[in-house]
Amino acid sequence: MTVNPITTGRIQSAIALASSKTGVDFDYLLGQAKLESGLNANAKAGTSSASGLYQFIEQSWLSVVKKHGAEHGMAWAANSIGQSSSGRLSVGDAGTKAAILALRNDPNAASLMAAEYASDNKASLEGTLNRPASGTDLYMAHFMGLGGATKFLKTMQANPQASGAALFPAAARANHNVFYDSNNQPRTLSAIYDRFADKLGGAAAGASTTATPANYAAQALDMNGSTVITGNNESADDALAWATTAMNKFTGKTAQTAVNVLRPTPDTARLAYMMLARLGG
């Protein structure tokens, strides 16, 4: 068993696989990951719950995993997520919740869920706008939420010179540099959109031409062809010890015992995902 860093090459391979499985454009997914995390699978925002390659906040991640997780070998996670009458998502067991949220740091899981999220937004935007959705449209949906992006794009079609800050005052207060220029003048909707388009295109081009893999804080365990991502603030040694102990639980066990061990408990949720991924789920 060896410990390998998550490199840019591994991340790009995960994004390519997600693109192939979902049909979402590779360059868009690559550019989005570059913008959101700098291709750092273990990136974490300091001011929100956003984490991972695509900086999913907790509720957005639980939503997309609940909807699409079972399609990609994460049925244990999808089936563990409940929804209240108000629409808020939750996981009853704290350990299982932590394991589900930790999947945001797995390049394969994060890329697949980001692609599914983009695909859902694409279908909705195209139905509303009556035109094909571009990569920039999809990034607007990621940045502002589907409702905000729909409002932004429909208003821009009718009045591209409208002030973005006037239309979205709360978002402008939280993202001053997006809605205002260096002279503190409000940007128009078309200017905001064009700025995102330039950044998204530049990020994809810059990421795709990176020749030297970069190592990041997140680590991966290579165990006989299976991959385990270390938890938050978990050392490689601790992760190796966890994986060894978890796998040893299966030695000499009956089928019924193995089923019990595979339930998504705090100790086994990551192991379950590892085994499903190994089987091609």
Side-chain angles (χ1 to χ4, degrees):
M1 187 188 304
T2 58
V3 177
N4 299 319
I6 295 179
T7 63
T8 301
R10 269 195 63 199
I11 288 172
Q12 291 188 5
S13 294
I15 294 172
L17 180 61
S19 174
S20 175
K21 284 189 171 183
T22 63
V24 176
D25 182 67
F26 170 81
D27 286 337
Y28 165 73
L29 291 172
L30 184 64
Q32 184 188 357
K34 179 68 174 178
L35 278 180
E36 291 294 327
S37 66
L39 297 183
N40 182 348
N42 215 35
K44 184 169 178 58
T47 57
S48 74
S49 64
S51 182
L53 194 60
Y54 289 93
Q55 292 294 283
F56 277 99
I57 61 173
E58 288 188 7
Q59 284 293 301
S60 294
W61 180 253
L62 293 177
S63 177
V64 72
V65 170
K66 181 175 177 62
K67 185 173 183 180
H68 294 289
E71 302 166 34
H72 300 287
M74 293 178 282
W76 65 268
N79 294 337
S80 298
I81 301 169
Q83 188 169 17
S84 70
S85 58
S86 66
R88 185 166 182 81
L89 299 163
S90 62
V91 180
D93 179 76
T96 303
K97 178 182 179 180
I100 293 172
L101 293 177
L103 292 175
R104 292 178 294 177
N105 302 118
D106 178 337
N108 290 316
S111 297
L112 284 166
M113 293 300 98
E116 293 289 8
Y117 187 73
S119 181
D120 290 344
N121 287 338
K122 181 176 185 292
S124 181
L125 287 173
E126 290 181 345
T128 301
L129 300 174
N130 295 314
R131 64 168 176 78
S134 68
T136 307
D137 296 336
L138 297 181
Y139 190 76
M140 294 299 298
H142 178 84
F143 176 70
M144 305 188 73
L146 182 59
T150 300
K151 179 180 179 181
F152 183 104
L153 295 169
K154 290 186 73 173
T155 304
M156 188 178 73
Q157 282 183 339
N159 184 12
Q161 297 306 305
S163 166
L167 191 63
F168 299 98
R173 287 192 295 271
N175 302 276
H176 189 274
N177 65 327
V178 172
F179 288 86
Y180 294 89
D181 63 21
S182 58
N183 295 318
N184 207 35
Q185 295 300 306
R187 289 191 169 100
T188 65
L189 295 178
S190 62
I192 294 170
Y193 185 89
D194 290 344
R195 190 164 178 264
F196 274 123
D198 290 343
K199 285 191 171 186
L200 190 62
S208 62
T209 57
T210 300
T212 304
N215 295 342
Y216 297 110
Q219 298 287 312
L221 299 179
D222 182 8
M223 181 189 290
N224 299 325
S226 299
T227 299
V228 181
I229 303 300
T230 58
N232 288 337
N233 300 316
E234 182 180 35
S235 70
D237 287 342
D238 288 343
L240 282 167
W242 167 82
T244 301
T245 300
M247 289 302 290
N248 284 343
K249 290 181 180 179
F250 293 92
T251 303
K253 301 294 184 181
T254 65
Q256 182 59 47
T257 302
V259 169
N260 290 336
V261 173
L262 272 174
R263 288 175 182 168
T265 66
D267 288 334
T268 61
R270 280 193 296 148
L271 177 64
Y273 178 71
M274 175 192 77
M275 296 182 73
L276 287 167
R278 181 179 179 182
L279 293 171

